[in-house]
Amino acid sequence: MTTTATTTRTLRAFRATPFTYATLMIVSALLCVPLVLVVSIALSSDQTVNANTFTIIPREFHWENFTRVFDTSLPMGRFLLNSVVISVFSVLGQMLSSGLIGYAFARLRAPGKNGLFLVVIATMMIPTQITMIPQFILFKELGWINTYLPLIIPNFFSNGFNVFLIRQFVSRLPREIDEAAMIDGLGFFGVYRRIMLPMLMPALIAIGIFTLTYTWGDFMGPLIYLNDETKMPLALGIQYISSTSAAMQAPPWNLVMVGSILLTLPMIIVYYLGQRYLYEMDISGGSAGVK
């Protein structure tokens, strides 16, 4: 009875009012202004770009800009394909390695396991700028410069956050599940593949979405490791559009914004399709896989 009364008071405390909805609508409108401006510029004519007379609400609708961007001197189609290749393999690497490593830290018994886990977690506190030069030297010695390998291979070794996420998820699952599977003759990899992997899918898909969001829009990594124009991803190719304009001439901002839309739209679609997995994932309870 007490629990029911507490739940009722909680629901009453967080009940939305017309003022709440009005506030949310105003904030949402303000947050959408940059996106609307990007679309407005993308649909502008070259004359509007040269005169720099952009408006938030679109007044022109030059849909041909979305095809013109592929007719420039830059291989935009190749940029887009490169982004897909780098992102897909990076997502697969993170999902594969994070699941195995996190499950091992949660279930295997080994001397020094907790200390090693603390070291993995400590790597989250190391700024990326500190490891940038040592990584470049390492990849240079391996002969990986101007290839996709420095952008893809590190993802097959996971990272501290993803390992922590999977470990916490698995730690909340009953050990009796593993023990029952081992009694039936399954080994470590058998338990992981047939029992744990289906339960970990919400967390792994969430990791895939996080990884895709980062790698799809990554600018610094390709700028450091890639020299060949045909190997550059879309994020770096958009910057090249703005830097190839003639002297004393405004960059083709309409085409730049078209590229920005191509860079943003896939992320919106991926989030829309995968948002339920983000909501199902419960890092504190680890119960999403058994719902």
Side-chain angles (χ1 to χ4, degrees):
M1 186 68 180
T2 304
T3 304
T4 304
T6 303
T7 304
T8 303
R9 287 196 300 268
T10 302
L11 291 175
R12 187 181 299 114
F14 289 96
R15 184 174 298 171
T17 64
F19 176 76
T20 304
Y21 287 109
T23 303
L24 291 176
M25 291 178 63
I26 293 173
V27 173
S28 299
L30 292 175
L31 293 177
C32 288
V33 168
L35 296 177
V36 176
L37 181 60
V38 167
V39 174
S40 177
I41 297 175
L43 296 175
S44 300
S45 63
D46 294 338
Q47 291 76 15
T48 302
V49 171
N50 294 330
N52 198 22
T53 55
F54 303 117
T55 58
I56 296 179
I57 305 300
R59 295 184 302 179
E60 302 173 303
F61 297 93
H62 291 272
W63 299 103
E64 67 275 9
N65 290 341
F66 287 86
T67 57
R68 284 180 54 208
V69 72
F70 294 98
D71 296 332
T72 61
S73 59
L74 297 172
M76 292 299 297
R78 183 67 183 180
F79 292 159
L80 187 60
L81 179 61
N82 294 340
S83 292
V84 172
V85 171
I86 295 172
S87 299
V88 168
F89 281 102
S90 298
V91 168
L92 292 177
Q94 282 289 347
M95 294 178 68
L96 177 65
S97 59
S98 299
L100 287 172
I101 298 171
Y103 177 61
F105 272 118
R107 287 295 195 256
L108 289 185
R109 295 182 176 90
K113 181 187 71 172
N114 293 333
L116 182 59
F117 180 69
L118 290 177
V119 173
V120 173
I121 295 301
T123 59
M124 297 171 58
M125 296 182 287
I126 301 177
T128 305
Q129 292 80 1
I130 293 179
T131 61
M132 192 176 296
I133 295 177
Q135 282 184 345
F136 180 84
I137 296 175
L138 173 64
F139 294 142
K140 184 176 182 297
E141 293 298 324
L142 292 174
W144 289 2
I145 300 301
N146 202 30
T147 68
Y148 296 147
L149 296 179
L151 306 175
I152 296 175
I153 295 301
N155 290 290
F156 282 84
F157 296 90
S158 190
N159 59 54
F161 174 78
N162 292 341
V163 170
F164 171 78
L165 182 67
I166 297 297
R167 179 186 179 274
Q168 294 302 104
F169 195 101
V170 176
S171 297
R172 299 300 188 268
L173 298 177
R175 279 187 178 271
E176 288 77 8
I177 299 176
D178 303 54
E179 296 170 355
M182 290 179 180
I183 291 175
D184 290 338
L186 292 179
F188 173 79
F189 288 103
V191 173
Y192 175 77
R193 181 176 62 86
R194 301 182 62 177
I195 306 297
M196 286 296 168
L197 189 58
M199 295 182 178
L200 288 175
M201 269 304 155
L204 291 178
I205 292 176
I207 288 174
I209 294 174
F210 297 151
T211 305
L212 181 63
T213 302
Y214 174 77
T215 55
W216 184 261
D218 185 22
F219 178 84
M220 185 61 66
L223 181 64
I224 294 174
Y225 297 114
L226 298 179
N227 302 322
D228 191 349
E229 185 179 277
T230 60
K231 296 180 180 179
M232 294 177 181
L234 185 60
L236 191 57
I238 293 174
Q239 190 274 337
Y240 267 66
I241 296 178
S242 62
S243 63
T244 54
S245 57
M248 304 301 295
Q249 181 180 354
W253 292 119
N254 48 358
L255 301 184
V256 172
M257 293 307 165
V258 169
S260 300
I261 292 175
L262 295 177
L263 196 64
T264 305
L265 190 59
M267 294 300 95
I268 297 176
I269 297 174
V270 167
Y271 178 79
Y272 177 78
L273 296 177
Q275 60 180 327
R276 72 184 186 94
Y277 296 102
L278 296 175
Y279 296 149
E280 286 178 7
M281 183 186 63
D282 185 356
I283 188 174
S284 60
S287 59
V290 293
K291 289 181 180 178

